[in-house]
Amino acid sequence: MKKHSESYYWNARDRIWRRLAELPQGTIKERLISGRTYFYFQRREGKKVIHTYIGKEVPADLKKKMREREALRAELAEIQDVMRGILTGKIRNIL
Protein backbone atom coordinates (compact mmCIF):
# COMPACT_ATOMS: atom_id res chain seq x y z
CA MET A 1 0.00 0.00 0.00
CA LYS A 2 1.29 3.47 -0.89
CA LYS A 3 2.26 5.89 1.83
CA HIS A 4 -0.28 8.69 2.21
CA SER A 5 -1.09 11.36 4.74
CA GLU A 6 -2.81 10.44 7.98
CA SER A 7 -6.00 12.22 6.92
CA TYR A 8 -6.11 10.09 3.76
CA TYR A 9 -6.37 6.93 5.88
CA TRP A 10 -9.03 8.39 8.18
CA ASN A 11 -11.10 9.52 5.17
CA ALA A 12 -10.65 6.17 3.40
CA ARG A 13 -11.73 4.30 6.52
CA ASP A 14 -14.85 6.47 6.86
CA ARG A 15 -15.67 6.05 3.15
CA ILE A 16 -15.36 2.26 3.43
CA TRP A 17 -17.50 2.11 6.59
CA ARG A 18 -20.24 4.17 4.90
CA ARG A 19 -20.24 1.90 1.86
CA LEU A 20 -20.20 -1.27 4.00
CA ALA A 21 -23.28 0.04 5.84
CA GLU A 22 -25.12 0.20 2.49
CA LEU A 23 -24.23 -3.36 1.45
CA PRO A 24 -25.99 -6.49 2.71
CA GLN A 25 -24.47 -7.88 5.90
CA GLY A 26 -24.24 -11.65 6.02
CA THR A 27 -23.17 -14.56 3.87
CA ILE A 28 -24.61 -16.75 1.16
CA LYS A 29 -25.05 -20.35 2.27
CA GLU A 30 -25.62 -23.31 0.01
CA ARG A 31 -27.82 -26.16 1.26
CA LEU A 32 -28.32 -29.55 -0.30
CA ILE A 33 -31.87 -30.73 0.34
CA SER A 34 -33.16 -33.96 -1.22
CA GLY A 35 -30.35 -33.88 -3.76
CA ARG A 36 -31.10 -30.30 -4.87
CA THR A 37 -29.09 -27.19 -4.13
CA TYR A 38 -30.77 -24.15 -2.60
CA PHE A 39 -29.23 -20.85 -1.58
CA TYR A 40 -29.94 -18.86 1.55
CA PHE A 41 -28.77 -15.49 2.79
CA GLN A 42 -27.60 -15.85 6.38
CA ARG A 43 -27.25 -12.92 8.75
CA ARG A 44 -27.32 -12.22 12.46
CA GLU A 45 -29.92 -10.09 14.22
CA GLY A 46 -28.85 -9.81 17.83
CA LYS A 47 -28.29 -13.35 19.04
CA LYS A 48 -30.46 -14.92 16.34
CA VAL A 49 -29.17 -16.22 13.03
CA ILE A 50 -31.67 -15.47 10.28
CA HIS A 51 -31.79 -17.52 7.05
CA THR A 52 -33.60 -15.98 4.09
CA TYR A 53 -34.32 -18.15 1.07
CA ILE A 54 -32.73 -16.78 -2.12
CA GLY A 55 -33.60 -19.50 -4.63
CA LYS A 56 -31.95 -22.15 -6.74
CA GLU A 57 -29.49 -19.56 -8.07
CA VAL A 58 -27.88 -16.53 -6.47
CA PRO A 59 -28.87 -13.30 -8.26
CA ALA A 60 -25.97 -11.63 -10.07
CA ASP A 61 -26.47 -8.30 -8.26
CA LEU A 62 -26.23 -10.02 -4.86
CA LYS A 63 -23.04 -11.82 -5.92
CA LYS A 64 -21.59 -8.49 -7.03
CA LYS A 65 -22.48 -6.80 -3.74
CA MET A 66 -20.97 -9.66 -1.72
CA ARG A 67 -17.72 -9.50 -3.75
CA GLU A 68 -17.59 -5.74 -3.24
CA ARG A 69 -18.13 -6.22 0.51
CA GLU A 70 -15.28 -8.74 0.66
CA ALA A 71 -12.93 -6.41 -1.24
CA LEU A 72 -13.85 -3.46 1.00
CA ARG A 73 -13.25 -5.50 4.15
CA ALA A 74 -9.78 -6.48 2.86
CA GLU A 75 -8.99 -2.84 2.03
CA LEU A 76 -10.25 -1.77 5.46
CA ALA A 77 -7.97 -4.31 7.16
CA GLU A 78 -4.96 -2.88 5.29
CA ILE A 79 -5.90 0.69 6.18
CA GLN A 80 -6.39 -0.21 9.84
CA ASP A 81 -2.95 -1.86 9.93
CA VAL A 82 -1.38 1.34 8.60
CA MET A 83 -3.38 3.47 11.03
CA ARG A 84 -2.32 1.21 13.91
CA GLY A 85 1.31 1.86 12.96
CA ILE A 86 0.73 5.61 12.79
CA LEU A 87 -0.97 5.70 16.17
CA THR A 88 1.66 3.45 17.76
CA GLY A 89 4.35 5.84 16.53
CA LYS A 90 2.51 8.83 18.01
CA ILE A 91 2.12 7.07 21.36
CA ARG A 92 5.83 6.23 21.42
CA ASN A 93 6.66 9.89 20.76
CA ILE A 94 4.49 10.93 23.71
CA LEU A 95 6.08 8.43 26.08
Side-chain angles (χ1 to χ4, degrees):
M1 184 173 272
K2 289 183 178 180
K3 186 170 183 165
H4 295 282
S5 69
E6 184 178 339
S7 63
Y8 167 83
Y9 293 109
W10 286 103
N11 292 334
R13 186 192 68 165
D14 291 341
R15 174 187 54 82
I16 291 171
W17 277 353
R18 282 192 305 274
R19 182 60 184 143
L20 284 173
E22 297 170 359
L23 294 171
Q25 295 181 350
T27 57
I28 297 170
K29 295 294 179 184
E30 182 179 316
R31 290 188 180 168
L32 188 63
I33 302 172
S34 299
R36 295 185 181 173
T37 302
Y38 299 95
F39 293 94
Y40 291 81
F41 187 70
Q42 180 178 306
R43 68 188 185 287
R44 185 172 289 278
E45 289 182 7
K47 292 185 177 184
K48 287 186 170 183
V49 176
I50 308 296
H51 303 269
T52 305
Y53 177 70
I54 296 173
K56 294 180 181 178
E57 293 182 12
V58 180
D61 64 326
L62 182 58
K63 283 182 185 179
K64 182 180 177 184
K65 288 177 181 178
M66 298 307 287
R67 281 193 302 269
E68 180 183 0
R69 182 174 193 74
E70 188 177 317
L72 286 171
R73 288 179 62 120
E75 184 180 352
L76 181 61
E78 288 180 20
I79 287 171
Q80 288 176 327
D81 284 345
V82 171
M83 291 175 70
R84 193 174 297 113
I86 291 170
L87 293 174
T88 301
K90 285 185 171 189
I91 291 171
R92 284 186 184 138
N93 289 339
I94 292 172
L95 301 177

